[in-house]
Amino acid sequence: MNSDGAKKKHFSKKRIVISIICIIAVLAAGMLVYAASQLKYENIYKGISIGNINVGEMTKAEAENAVNKYAKQYNDLKLSFKCRDIEFDVPVSSLSFKVDSKKLADKAYRIGRSKSNIKNLKTIISGKKKGYTVNFDFSFDEERLLLMVTEAIQEKTTDSTPMTVETGTDRLYVTNAVKGKGADNKKIISDVKSILSDLKEKNKTINVEIIDTNADNLTADEFYNEYNREAKNAVYTKTADGHKIEPEVVGITLDKTEVKRILEENKNNTQTYEIPAKITYP
C-alpha cells in the first residue's frame, strides 16, 4: 500500500514538472515569436517622438510629412524681445529657419535598429513603456538674429575701443582699451533655441540683458613683441602685376621690465600714459 502511494506521489510530481516545463516552453516560444515580429517591424516603433511630434508606428515617409507639417507653424511665429523699455519682435521667417525632416525621420526609424538584436529589443520594449524622444533639430541664421537685436537696442549699447599706441620722439603714448555695453548674445541664442525647441513657450518674451563687451589690453609680452622692433627701409619689389612697396618701419627699442611695470601700474588708467622708448629711423 505504501508502495502504491509512493508511486502515485512520484507520478504526480513528475506531471507537475512536465507541466511547468511545457508552460516555460510555451512562454519562451511566445517571447521568441514576439521578439521576431518586433525586430522585423518595418515602421517606426511605438512610443517614439520627434520633439513634440508623436511618430510612433509611422513609416519614415509619414514621419517626414508630420515633421514638415509641424514646421509650418514657424512661418507665422514671431519672437518677442524686451530690453528695459524697448520691446520688439523678430519674425522667424526672416531667420532662414530650416528643419531637415528626412534626417529626423531617419533618426527616429533607426531607434531599435542600430545595435545588436538583444539591445534593440530592450530599446523597443523600453520605448513602448517610457517613450523615446528624438531631439527636434533645426537651424537658423544666428548672425542675422543678433544683428536685428543689436539694431533694435542700439540706444542701449556702446562700442568698445581697443588699446591705442602712438609714437612720440622718445616715448610711446598709450591709451587703454575701453569696454563697451552690448547684449548678452549667448543668452539670446540660448533663449531662442529653447523657444523654438518647444512651441509651448512661443508666447514667452525674451529678456535682453546688457553686459560689458570685451576690450582687453595687451599683456606685457604681447605689447613688447608687437612694438619692440628694428628700423627698416622701404622695399620696392617688381611683381608680375606691376610692383609692391613695403613702407619703412620706424624702430622702437623698449625695456621689457619697464614695459611690464608701467602697464601693470596703469591697467585701470582711463587717461593716456607714457612708456619710455628709443625711436630710430631708417
Side-chain angles (χ1 to χ4, degrees):
M1 188 75 180
N2 290 337
S3 176
D4 290 341
K7 286 181 179 180
K8 288 182 180 180
K9 189 174 183 181
H10 175 74
F11 181 72
S12 178
K13 287 182 178 180
K14 190 174 181 180
R15 288 181 62 183
I16 293 172
V17 170
I18 292 173
S19 298
I20 292 173
I21 291 173
C22 290
I23 292 171
I24 292 173
V26 170
L27 290 174
M31 290 178 65
L32 287 173
V33 171
Y34 173 79
S37 67
Q38 291 300 305
L39 293 173
K40 290 180 180 180
Y41 188 66
E42 295 184 353
N43 292 354
I44 295 170
Y45 289 109
K46 185 177 180 180
I48 296 175
S49 299
I50 299 174
N52 294 325
I53 312 164
N54 182 4
V55 295
E57 301 180 297
M58 291 185 182
T59 64
K60 282 201 288 186
E62 289 171 340
E64 189 175 337
N65 289 333
V67 171
N68 286 331
K69 183 178 179 180
Y70 182 85
K72 287 182 179 179
Q73 300 178 75
Y74 291 86
N75 294 334
D76 301 321
L77 179 63
K78 292 183 178 180
L79 299 169
S80 298
F81 293 86
K82 183 175 182 180
C83 181
R84 297 175 184 171
D85 59 334
I86 300 176
E87 297 182 5
F88 59 97
D89 294 332
V90 173
V92 174
S93 59
S94 67
L95 301 178
S96 302
F97 180 84
K98 294 179 182 178
V99 176
D100 191 336
S101 57
K102 182 176 177 59
K103 185 177 180 180
L104 290 175
D106 187 58
K107 279 185 177 182
Y109 180 80
R110 284 191 287 109
I111 294 172
R113 293 181 169 90
S114 59
K115 298 177 182 179
S116 67
N117 286 344
I118 294 176
K119 289 184 177 180
N120 284 338
L121 192 59
K122 285 182 178 179
T123 300
I124 294 166
I125 294 172
S126 176
K128 287 185 176 183
K129 290 181 178 179
K130 301 178 182 178
Y132 193 98
T133 302
V134 175
N135 288 334
F136 183 70
D137 296 330
F138 54 84
S139 64
F140 62 93
D141 192 336
E142 296 182 11
E143 290 186 7
R144 170 74 173 157
L145 169 65
L146 295 177
L147 178 62
M148 295 175 75
V149 171
T150 299
E151 289 177 349
I153 64 169
Q154 193 169 11
E155 65 183 68
K156 305 295 183 184
T157 63
T158 56
D159 293 332
S160 59
T161 56
M163 173 184 274
T164 60
V165 180
E166 296 180 2
T167 305
T169 55
D170 59 355
R171 65 200 65 201
L172 299 179
Y173 296 98
V174 182
T175 304
N176 285 335
V178 178
K179 290 185 177 182
K181 295 286 185 181
D184 186 344
N185 290 338
K186 288 184 179 180
K187 180 179 180 298
I188 290 172
I189 296 299
S190 177
D191 288 348
V192 168
K193 286 182 176 179
S194 176
I195 289 175
L196 296 181
S197 295
D198 186 356
L199 289 182
K200 294 176 183 177
E201 297 185 356
K202 64 182 180 180
N203 296 321
K204 179 181 177 181
T205 298
I206 298 170
N207 183 43
V208 180
E209 297 180 2
I210 300 299
I211 60 173
D212 288 336
T213 55
N214 290 333
D216 295 328
N217 292 318
L218 296 176
T219 65
D221 286 338
E222 291 170 339
F223 190 98
Y224 182 84
N225 292 335
E226 181 168 345
Y227 291 102
N228 189 76
R229 59 186 181 235
E230 295 181 355
K232 293 182 180 179
N233 289 314
V235 177
Y236 174 87
T237 307
K238 286 186 177 181
T239 65
D241 299 326
H243 62 273
K244 177 182 177 182
I245 298 177
E246 296 180 21
E248 69 175 21
V249 176
V250 175
I252 302 174
T253 302
L254 298 167
D255 183 321
K256 193 172 185 178
T257 302
E258 191 73 353
V259 168
K260 185 175 182 179
R261 180 188 65 80
I262 294 174
L263 289 180
E264 178 62 26
E265 288 178 354
N266 290 275
K267 62 183 179 182
N268 296 319
N269 193 349
T270 58
Q271 304 298 317
T272 300
Y273 55 94
E274 302 171 359
I275 296 179
K278 180 181 180 182
I279 310 298
T280 56
Y281 294 89

